[in-house]
Amino acid sequence: MNLDEVDSKIENWEPKIIAFLCNWCSYAGADLAGISRIQYPPNVRVIRVPCSGRVDPFFIIKSLQAGADGVLVSGCHPGDCHYLTGNYFARRRFTILKNILEYIGIEEGRVNFSWVSAAEGEKFATVIKEVTESVKALGPAKRLIKRFNYRKL
Amino acid sequence: MEIVERIREEARKALEEKKVELIIGFEEGSLPLRTTPAFIKSIDAVERLIWNATCENNLANYLLRLKIKGKVGIVAKGCDARSIINAIKERQIERDMVFIIGVPCTGMVDRKGIKERFDEAEILEAIEVNGQIKVKGERFEGSFNISDFLYDSCKTCTQKTPSLYDVIVGDEVKEREDVDEFREIREFEKKSPDERWAYFTREIESCIRCYACRNVCPLCYCKECFIDQSRPQWFGRSIDESDRMIFHIIRVFHTAGRCVDCGACERACPMGIDLRKLTKKVEKDVVELYNYKAGIDLETVPPLATYKEDDPQEFIK
Amino acid sequence: MEEKVISREKVVTFIDTLIGKYYVFAPVKKKDFISFDEVKSGNEVYLGYRNSKDSPKRFLFPQSEVMLRYEKGRLIEEGPFDYGKRVIFGIRPCDIKGFSLLNKVFDNHDFRDPYFITKRDSIILIGMGCREPQTTCFCTSLGIDPGSSDGADLFITDIGNKYVFQILTSKGEGIISEYDGFNDAEKADLDMKEKVSEDAKERIRTKVEISGLKEKLDGMFEDPFWSDLHEKCIGCAICTYLCPTCHCFDIEDETVNDKGVRRRNWDSCMFPLFTLHTSGHNPRESGKERMRQRIMHKFNYFVSYWGDTACVGCGRCIINCPVNMDLRKVINNINHG
Ligand code: SF4
Ligand code: SF4
Ligand code: SF4
Ligand code: SF4
Ligand code: FES
């Protein structure tokens, strides 16, 4: 979404959150939450990935640039990665990336991470609630969004 | 014997014995307070090599940039040697394909800092004598202690003597143990996110995307940089604020566990952008979280190429 | 030609008057350099500058310009957009010459670029003669005089306590009449003006030999000279982006979701991507070919096409190159090599 639109729609604004979910755990966790009819906010758009280790920092940043108000990356608990160590390596990358983003001024709470297993439907719903609330509290994302200020030279 | 004499001697020997194809060092520059990288291929040319407090370029960059067949000799300061260690670790060069002439370094002089002293007046001449830089302009003269005008990266450097070399010219320099290299970063972290965002947007606003910061860096050797990718194109190439900011975020992300704080990027930037505020932050996090400093030894595994089961993860829900 | 004078203090009020009516761009201090930027008050203008870090070419040829805007595959709006009437205050003679060189490329017998032309036509150039050229200035070698008013609408010479304004065009006349603080220049003022420009010219000590350079380069495409020249160059775009004459660009569509713009962005012959073919082949494979291109384009091809050299001697590439590649030396080596 274009930021100028977001600004004008601020009153009935609902955050858009992009969630990158690992196929082997969090994605199945989301499924379980659904099957179990656990309620959670409808603000997330899910993108299934083979492993949290597949989540390139580009994905996160590109989401923010394209207008996401929040991002969630969720994978298997440490020790449970389908590929054994994918999430361990990813964890270090996420740590560094999250620190950089917050350091340059992206608000804490825009970019989130969680470990949710296939059996944790309940936890999945809680994470989504928490993330949605924190993003709502921050309001529409303004930083890093591409604005197309085409008249400015 | 003076350092410069010893550099020349080693260079001459290496070329004579056909140990190397060429020597990368420094020669006289064309502007006051400047030297320029030199590529010495013949014994006669060895005399061109010099050494002083303005040999600021990180020559390790050329080991990765130029496709040189055969063994290369290189004049390396502490930070250059750290960059070479990085490059060997990252399998970009082979240890036995470089001949390192290590130079214990006492710091490089911040030419912009000196120039600022004279406002718009131009420095016409600068000479170095006994730890001092004497400068002359049309209507002024001045003399500075080099130690008062070092680059920020040199002020906090703790690896002045190269930790990897084949020969070393000059005596080991006493490393500083009292420096708090991350003090500025800690101060900056205390500011609010809004203030930090305002600071970086203001800095980045003058970025012309010349990519000098990337191209001088001894780490940026990717065949295709993410910012140049066009199939698909990840990020735009205009001077849009978001695209510019993202270039800097990802560039600095890519330096994690690799940046040796040589300061080359900030020095190269024509627009005087405070790039070290970014690189130093990542360096600090890597030290604090994973207890790793880049380019210190050939053995320790780089932090993003490994993990520990109990790595910090408080931020993960 | 008509000349007016104005006192130092009044220049500020003159600029203030213009600000109400035009977008005024003038040299301002930024960090450790000077750059042309929009000013909201005459006091912001920094008149003690030698030259700006970046060339003012971006007022005619912006680093990034939106050409059109589309949505869901349909054209919404097409440029050139109107950027209003703009005054560039204090541009140096070399940079004005840069404008005229760009003009050859963007407005000629077989090609007229509307984006360039609209901007050119809505711009008023107030040139300013140099008093203290830098040691890296070699404009005179390219036939440019640091006191030359060629191409300006108005031209200012700083004669100490006063400024002499030369009125060169009707546009210039027009803006002079916006402000009533001008007096007619007297003989003494004009003599002083002459002296200032003579002095400035004298102060330019760097000389490079341009005559015969093109012919020399004609036979040098395969010369071994190029194999070493580029070695220290790291292939950034400082020299080309800061240069007042470089004009290469790249057009691309930037789309986010279903909306986007077509942009024209600066590009540089020093980047490998500049000539990379879709097939993966790159005709300018290494730094050698790219450096050769830069030099050849400026001092040989441009001369063949347009009868002029694509260098104005401003020295920006020399001052700012991170590895101290000095164009003057390169030219001398070509001449004597
Ligand atoms: S990021 Fe900058 S300081 Fe760090 S190694 Fe690269 S050039 Fe040196
Ligand atoms: S060197 Fe400076 S201006 Fe050039 S791309 Fe890097 S930060 Fe931007
Ligand atoms: S500024 Fe210097 S290093 Fe950069 S491309 Fe030009 S000549 Fe090469
Ligand atoms: S090159 Fe000539 S015209 Fe340009 S700033 Fe220098 S002296 Fe002035
Ligand atoms: S498979 Fe789920 S994180 Fe690796």
Side-chain angles (χ1 to χ4, degrees):
Chain A
M1 192 192 295
N2 189 310
L3 185 77
D4 310 325
E5 282 169 43
V6 175
D7 283 345
S8 61
K9 285 186 192 154
I10 207 143
E11 268 160 51
N12 39 23
W13 168 78
E14 279 289 331
K16 267 194 186 152
I17 297 162
I18 308 293
F20 296 95
L21 306 182
C22 162
N23 174 52
W24 303 101
C25 51
S26 304
Y27 191 79
D31 222 16
L32 181 62
I35 295 168
S36 325
R37 309 209 176 275
I38 308 170
Q39 294 284 323
Y40 62 84
N43 302 66
V44 288
R45 311 284 188 278
V46 173
I47 296 174
R48 182 162 59 148
V49 290
C51 171
S52 61
R54 172 64 183 96
V55 180
D56 192 309
F58 288 2
F59 298 178
I60 299 172
I61 290 176
K62 190 77 189 176
S63 308
L64 294 172
Q65 181 175 49
D69 298 299
V71 177
L72 169 69
V73 179
S74 190
C76 311
H77 285 274
D80 293 346
C81 174
H82 189 74
Y83 309 99
L84 308 175
T85 56
N87 54 2
Y88 281 131
F89 286 102
R91 186 168 60 186
R92 285 197 166 192
R93 289 201 295 272
F94 296 154
T95 312
I96 301 287
L97 181 72
K98 184 177 188 297
N99 286 1
I100 298 174
L101 288 174
E102 286 171 13
Y103 180 75
I104 63 146
I106 302 304
E107 310 90 328
E108 198 177 340
R110 289 256 180 241
V111 179
N112 303 274
F113 302 88
S114 65
W115 304 135
V116 174
S117 78
E120 294 176 317
E122 198 73 58
K123 181 172 178 189
F124 181 79
T126 318
V127 167
I128 298 299
K129 266 178 230 156
E130 275 178 30
V131 169
T132 310
E133 269 156 35
S134 77
V135 174
K136 259 193 184 153
L138 291 169
K142 298 209 160 153
R143 295 170 186 171
L144 290 189
I145 293 189
K146 190 142 176 175
R147 283 181 182 260
F148 291 130
N149 275 340
Y150 62 98
R151 288 206 180 255
K152 207 178 141 203
L153 277 189
Chain B
M1 213 186 319
E2 276 204 63
I3 289 180
V4 50
E5 290 307 326
R6 295 189 55 190
I7 293 175
R8 287 178 188 162
E9 186 185 87
E10 294 299 340
R12 193 176 297 116
K13 252 199 295 184
L15 285 165
E16 249 162 22
E17 292 166 10
K18 303 228 180 310
K19 238 198 262 175
V20 297
E21 301 287 312
L22 89 160
I23 300 273
I24 309 176
F26 293 93
E27 66 182 313
E28 205 68 63
S30 71
L31 299 170
L33 299 170
R34 288 305 308 257
T35 54
T36 185
F39 298 80
I40 305 295
K41 293 168 190 158
S42 68
I43 294 163
D44 309 337
V46 162
E47 291 304 309
R48 277 162 46 198
L49 288 168
I50 59 163
W51 181 257
N52 60 37
T54 64
C55 295
E56 60 172 48
N57 295 88
N58 186 338
L59 301 179
N61 179 282
Y62 294 112
L63 296 177
L64 306 159
R65 174 166 298 282
L66 299 174
K67 290 169 196 73
I68 307 161
K69 289 185 202 80
K71 192 164 173 167
V72 183
I74 183 167
V75 176
K77 310 181 276 291
C79 52
D80 303 5
R82 284 178 71 184
S83 315
I84 297 173
I85 291 177
N86 252 337
I88 295 170
K89 263 189 178 173
E90 293 178 8
R91 305 263 188 282
Q92 295 305 308
I93 47 176
E94 308 254 4
R95 174 64 187 97
D96 55 9
M97 293 309 275
V98 315
F99 172 71
I100 307 169
I101 306 178
V103 189
C105 169
T106 46
M108 291 296 141
V109 63
D110 177 3
R111 56 191 152 91
K112 282 188 192 157
I114 292 193
K115 278 185 194 147
E116 263 169 36
R117 283 292 162 108
F118 302 108
D119 216 11
E120 277 281 283
E122 203 180 2
I123 294 172
L124 301 176
E125 204 186 302
I127 43 165
E128 183 181 331
V129 260
N130 303 326
Q132 287 209 317
I133 295 263
K134 291 192 191 316
V135 298
K136 248 195 222 149
E138 212 167 302
R139 289 177 289 271
F140 63 89
E141 258 184 61
S143 156
F144 302 94
N145 289 328
I146 292 175
S147 54
D148 298 336
F149 278 87
L150 294 179
Y151 280 116
D152 288 345
S153 51
C154 298
K155 279 187 210 148
T156 61
C157 173
T158 53
Q159 191 61 253
K160 297 181 190 302
T161 308
S163 43
L164 183 73
Y165 53 82
D166 293 286
V167 287
I168 187 143
V169 295
D171 304 327
E172 233 174 79
V173 183
K174 200 173 161 317
E175 304 296 351
R176 292 185 60 176
E177 269 151 30
D178 56 332
V179 289
D180 178 3
E181 55 177 325
F182 302 122
R183 190 178 50 85
E184 265 183 51
I185 301 300
R186 274 197 309 273
E187 289 302 313
F188 191 75
E189 283 170 343
K190 288 186 199 143
K191 293 183 194 280
S192 73
D194 288 353
E195 284 173 308
R196 277 179 268 134
W197 177 258
Y199 181 79
F200 285 118
T201 37
R202 218 179 316 114
E203 285 297 307
I204 294 322
E205 199 182 56
S206 38
C207 171
I208 55 167
R209 297 189 74 165
C210 65
Y211 301 144
C213 50
R214 172 192 70 182
N215 289 18
V216 284
C217 176
L219 312 172
C220 280
Y221 53 72
C222 288
K223 274 211 167 122
E224 188 182 29
C225 175
F226 75 95
I227 207 70
D228 289 338
Q229 282 173 345
S230 51
R231 285 179 297 174
Q233 184 184 55
W234 277 98
F235 303 108
R237 301 178 68 201
S238 73
I239 49 167
D240 172 84
E241 176 186 278
S242 150
D243 284 325
R244 274 199 281 205
M245 193 63 99
I246 289 170
F247 163 61
H248 286 282
I249 293 172
I250 298 189
R251 186 186 86 87
V252 77
F253 176 77
H254 286 170
T255 70
R258 309 169 66 224
C259 174
V260 297
D261 193 21
C262 64
C265 47
E266 190 168 296
R267 258 170 252 163
C269 177
M271 310 313 280
I273 296 168
D274 186 1
L275 294 170
R276 196 165 177 258
K277 263 286 182 319
L278 290 168
T279 51
K280 208 65 191 163
K281 158 69 177 168
V282 177
E283 203 194 336
K284 167 177 173 285
D285 285 355
V286 168
V287 169
E288 287 175 358
L289 293 159
Y290 310 121
N291 189 25
Y292 182 90
K293 266 191 110 133
I296 300 298
D297 63 50
L298 284 167
E299 293 78 33
T300 325
V301 184
L304 292 190
T306 185
Y307 65 90
K308 280 204 179 116
E309 284 177 15
D310 59 351
D311 274 336
Q313 60 159 18
E314 295 74 39
F315 67 95
I316 303 180
K317 291 186 206 297
Chain C
M1 189 189 339
E2 214 187 325
E3 275 111 353
K4 300 271 182 196
V5 285
I6 195 174
S7 71
R8 256 181 185 275
E9 305 76 53
K10 279 191 180 160
V11 161
V12 176
T13 5
F14 170 59
I15 298 172
D16 283 331
T17 324
L18 296 180
I19 288 169
K21 296 171 178 131
Y22 306 89
Y23 297 106
V24 179
F25 296 84
V28 293
K29 257 197 162 155
K30 290 192 172 174
K31 300 185 186 176
D32 62 338
F33 57 86
I34 307 298
S35 184
F36 281 82
D37 209 346
E38 190 177 352
V39 288
K40 298 284 182 209
S41 142
N43 287 318
E44 290 168 41
V45 181
Y46 180 70
L47 290 166
Y49 74 110
R50 287 169 173 240
N51 206 356
S52 55
K53 170 72 88 176
D54 47 340
S55 98
K57 76 170 169 194
R58 61 190 153 87
F59 295 111
L60 296 188
F61 173 49
Q63 173 149 19
S64 176
E65 173 165 22
V66 171
M67 309 178 80
L68 54 87
R69 209 159 64 85
Y70 53 86
E71 221 175 285
K72 300 191 175 76
R74 274 173 206 286
L75 180 70
I76 299 291
E77 210 179 355
E78 198 176 352
F81 300 110
D82 179 14
Y83 297 101
K85 282 217 164 299
R86 301 191 285 174
V87 169
I88 315 291
F89 185 96
I91 176 173
R92 294 294 184 205
C94 53
D95 290 332
I96 304 182
K97 174 66 190 278
F99 279 22
S100 83
L101 294 172
L102 292 181
N103 203 55
K104 291 180 195 278
V105 178
F106 289 104
D107 184 8
N108 54 55
H109 45 276
D110 47 33
F111 185 73
R112 302 196 74 220
D113 179 69
Y115 296 89
F116 180 90
I117 291 171
T118 7
K119 280 189 274 299
R120 179 198 64 199
D121 291 345
S122 62
I123 236 166
I124 298 170
L125 289 182
I126 307 187
M128 185 141 165
C130 299
R131 277 193 79 130
E132 297 201 340
Q134 305 173 76
T135 43
T136 42
C137 289
F138 58 105
C139 52
T140 47
S141 300
L142 290 130
I144 304 159
D145 187 316
S148 158
S149 59
D150 285 359
D153 295 300
L154 275 179
F155 191 79
I156 312 177
T157 311
D158 174 357
I159 57 164
N161 52 346
K162 285 188 262 186
Y163 289 99
V164 175
F165 277 66
Q166 269 168 270
I167 304 167
L168 297 137
T169 64
S170 53
K171 276 194 209 168
E173 176 86 61
I175 57 171
I176 281 279
S177 63
E178 309 265 15
Y179 182 64
D180 56 13
F182 288 99
N183 294 320
D184 288 334
E186 282 160 25
K187 171 121 191 347
D189 300 328
L190 297 178
D191 289 347
M192 192 60 196
K193 169 180 168 294
E194 273 316 299
K195 188 173 174 313
V196 167
S197 11
E198 277 312 307
D199 283 355
K201 208 161 154 184
E202 207 123 285
R203 288 170 64 110
I204 294 185
R205 297 188 199 99
T206 311
K207 174 106 186 89
V208 295
E209 201 43 61
I210 299 292
S211 68
L213 184 61
K214 163 170 192 291
E215 292 69 27
K216 186 105 199 212
L217 283 168
D218 276 340
M220 275 185 68
F221 194 77
E222 302 290 357
D223 204 280
F225 173 74
W226 307 109
S227 2
D228 293 347
L229 177 66
H230 72 100
E231 273 172 330
K232 66 181 173 187
C233 167
I234 54 149
C236 65
I238 294 181
C239 48
T240 47
Y241 280 7
L242 298 186
C243 175
T245 76
C246 283
H247 51 266
C248 290
F249 59 79
D250 180 39
I251 294 178
E252 63 171 25
D253 287 353
E254 281 185 358
T255 315
V256 173
N257 304 332
D258 55 2
K259 291 176 188 162
V261 292
R262 176 163 300 168
R263 282 186 196 268
R264 172 156 91 180
N265 296 318
W266 285 356
D267 205 344
S268 171
C269 58
M270 301 311 277
F271 290 151
L273 196 65
F274 185 65
T275 43
L276 183 65
H277 293 181
T278 346
S279 64
H281 172 67
N282 196 337
R284 289 186 208 137
E285 211 185 343
S286 72
K288 171 185 156 188
E289 291 81 17
R290 298 192 281 270
M291 182 59 82
R292 177 176 66 195
Q293 167 64 22
R294 178 172 155 240
I295 304 296
M296 283 288 200
H297 192 191
K298 289 188 173 307
F299 301 100
N300 184 287
Y301 311 149
F302 201 92
V303 189
S304 316
Y305 301 151
W306 312 114
D308 212 338
T309 306
C311 169
V312 297
C314 70
R316 286 186 177 92
C317 57
I318 302 167
I319 303 169
N320 294 291
C321 174
V323 298
N324 186 224
M325 177 75 76
D326 193 320
L327 186 64
R328 297 169 298 181
K329 273 193 160 177
V330 176
I331 299 176
N332 285 341
N333 289 343
I334 294 171
N335 280 330
H336 302 118

